[in-house]
Amino acid sequence: MRDALDATPYDALLLLSFGGPEGPDDVVPFLENVTRGRGIPKERLKEVGQHYFLFGGVSPINDQNRALLDALRKDFADHGLDLPVYWGNRNWAPYLTDTLREMVADGRRRVLVLATSAYASYSGCRQYRENLADSLAALEAEGLEPPKIDKLRHYFNHPGFVEPVIDGVLRSLADLPEDVRDRAHIAFTTHSIPTTAADTSGPVADHGDGGAYVAQHLDVARLVADAVRERTGVDHPWQLVYESRSGAPHIPWLEPDICDHLEERHAAGVPAVVMAPIGFVSDHMEVLYDLDTEATAKAGELGLPVRRSATVGADPRFAAAIRELVLERAAAESGRAVTPCALGALGASHDLCPVGCCPSRAAKPAAAGADSPYA
């Protein structure tokens, strides 16, 4: 019989995600949650919501999280890890506070959090930590004793994240017409963020020149491009590009945009492009609309063959990676020797976000970090 795996001191894993509407009537309320405090008129939100209405008002992210939950629970059970997995969202049901309240009722006292963002940034890490702090404060206001929360480290360079990405790019290249395949360009895409947010991403020592956010994406892109060259014998040119910009025009954001990049590559004589969304865990709206709809339409206008490679999603290797990260963190917290698993040049990320990591414009409490009020 397989020995039971030990996640002590943790008694639960929380999948923490963004959330999304699950019907047309949900779209505007969901966007109101996302933009709360910014004073954006409802009519403007209806315009923004057109991306969701194109897909029946349904974001795929919730179903994708359900699939990931199933994959995690199956992997844990298959490997003898007795650790319940919960799910909470920032902006739509199941809401984070409701899930944490459920966990307290179930007696969970030491919780690990898996955020559906692999990289360091304010919106991909610190903001989730702020949401956790808000929810823990809400529980305290109700007279409940909040659990102790820790967050899994950034997993962008874990083999269980990188290997499915490599396979997706290889499949996309193989799907291109043979006469353009070997000369195809790879556009590694991620969410654009303000350059000021990029420059201050990660620990203070990493700030400047795109910060940890850009450095981590470039590291993954190199890993994937190198693996593609090793497995095909072809050295494909590549570039890190961006999508999903949503800020005011006068504020600098990371560039180039994927559509502008496709125009530039076409003008340079590139015969085909594989779009590889390395910045996203699953095929949610930023992938379905910005790449599969908008960028693919732009490529069609140009007569440029494109393919979009798959995200990691609920790949069993990713589920296994999360199990490994849980056991790695549990060992470290218990004082047992552990060797973190990471590919590339950057090594394993920190377990505990240090002070000054991915700061917000206005100082807010954030859980699961060195500056957490919930030690």
Side-chain angles (χ1 to χ4, degrees):
M1 182 178 294
R2 188 195 313 266
D3 291 336
L5 298 178
D6 186 8
T8 304
Y10 299 106
D11 56 18
L13 176 69
L14 169 62
L15 176 65
L16 178 55
S17 194
F18 192 81
E22 300 200 78
D25 293 341
D26 296 343
V27 172
V28 172
F30 163 74
L31 293 173
E32 287 175 333
N33 288 341
V34 174
T35 61
R36 193 173 306 281
R38 302 183 201 173
I40 299 176
K42 183 170 288 190
E43 291 306 311
R44 173 59 182 151
L45 294 180
K46 289 180 180 177
E47 293 176 17
V48 174
Q50 291 306 311
H51 293 182
Y52 291 96
F53 292 128
L54 286 174
F55 297 89
V58 178
S59 167
I61 193 170
N62 282 348
D63 278 345
Q64 290 162 3
N65 281 327
R66 292 182 184 103
L68 179 55
L69 285 168
D70 289 343
L72 290 171
R73 289 166 178 156
K74 181 180 186 305
D75 179 90
F76 288 7
D78 288 350
H79 290 84
L81 177 58
D82 183 16
L83 190 71
V85 186
Y86 294 77
W87 171 34
N89 289 325
R90 284 167 46 176
N91 299 299
W92 203 249
Y95 289 103
L96 173 59
T97 303
D98 294 337
T99 300
L100 284 174
R101 190 181 296 113
E102 176 190 357
M103 297 176 82
V104 170
D106 290 346
R108 310 305 176 194
R109 301 303 312 143
R110 193 77 189 271
V111 176
L112 259 179
V113 172
L114 163 65
T116 53
S117 175
Y119 301 86
S121 70
Y122 170 73
S123 58
C125 184
R126 173 89 190 187
Q127 192 170 14
Y128 282 109
R129 294 175 50 226
E130 291 175 353
N131 297 144
L132 284 164
D134 289 343
S135 292
L136 294 173
L139 296 186
E140 282 191 327
E142 297 171 10
L144 300 174
E145 183 181 354
K148 177 173 171 51
I149 300 283
D150 290 323
K151 180 178 175 291
L152 287 175
R153 66 177 173 87
H154 303 300
Y155 46 83
F156 63 93
N157 57 0
H158 193 287
F161 184 82
V162 176
E163 285 293 335
V165 173
I166 294 168
D167 287 349
V169 172
L170 290 170
R171 285 193 298 269
S172 291
L173 285 167
D175 192 49
L176 284 168
E178 188 174 357
D179 61 333
V180 299
R181 184 180 305 148
D182 286 353
R183 294 178 293 135
H185 171 87
I186 305 173
F188 293 105
T189 76
T190 191
H191 207 302
S192 183
I193 60 175
T195 55
T196 53
D199 290 344
T200 56
S201 59
V204 173
D206 293 339
H207 289 183
D209 196 25
Y213 186 75
V214 172
Q216 289 171 358
H217 282 86
L218 287 173
D219 203 40
V220 173
R222 291 188 192 99
L223 283 167
V224 176
D226 288 349
V228 168
R229 182 183 64 252
E230 291 168 4
R231 298 180 196 187
T232 66
V234 179
D235 191 5
H236 291 273
W238 61 270
Q239 186 171 339
L240 178 63
V241 302
Y242 303 92
E243 58 178 279
S244 310
R245 176 186 171 134
S246 58
H250 68 280
I251 298 175
W253 282 52
L254 293 173
E255 296 178 336
D257 176 78
I258 178 61
C259 289
D260 295 338
H261 182 67
L262 291 176
E263 288 187 338
E264 188 271 334
R265 291 291 80 204
H266 178 256
V270 167
V273 173
V274 167
M275 301 181 292
I278 59 171
F280 307 96
V281 171
S282 63
D283 289 3
H284 50 58
M285 191 57 68
E286 281 83 357
V287 176
L288 292 188
Y289 182 79
D290 295 330
L291 295 184
D292 293 357
T293 305
E294 192 172 48
T296 299
K298 171 59 69 175
E301 293 172 11
L302 298 169
L304 177 66
V306 293
R307 297 292 186 272
R308 196 268 293 173
S309 65
T311 52
V312 172
D315 190 291
R317 290 169 292 182
F318 182 48
I322 300 308
R323 168 174 41 84
E324 292 171 8
L325 289 168
V326 166
L327 296 173
E328 172 194 302
R329 184 62 181 272
E333 290 294 311
S334 299
R336 303 192 300 273
V338 61
T339 302
C341 186
L343 301 174
L346 298 180
S349 294
H350 48 264
D351 277 337
L352 192 68
C353 291
V355 175
C357 192
C358 305
S360 56
R361 287 176 293 177
K364 291 183 62 179
D371 54 356
S372 171
Y374 298 96

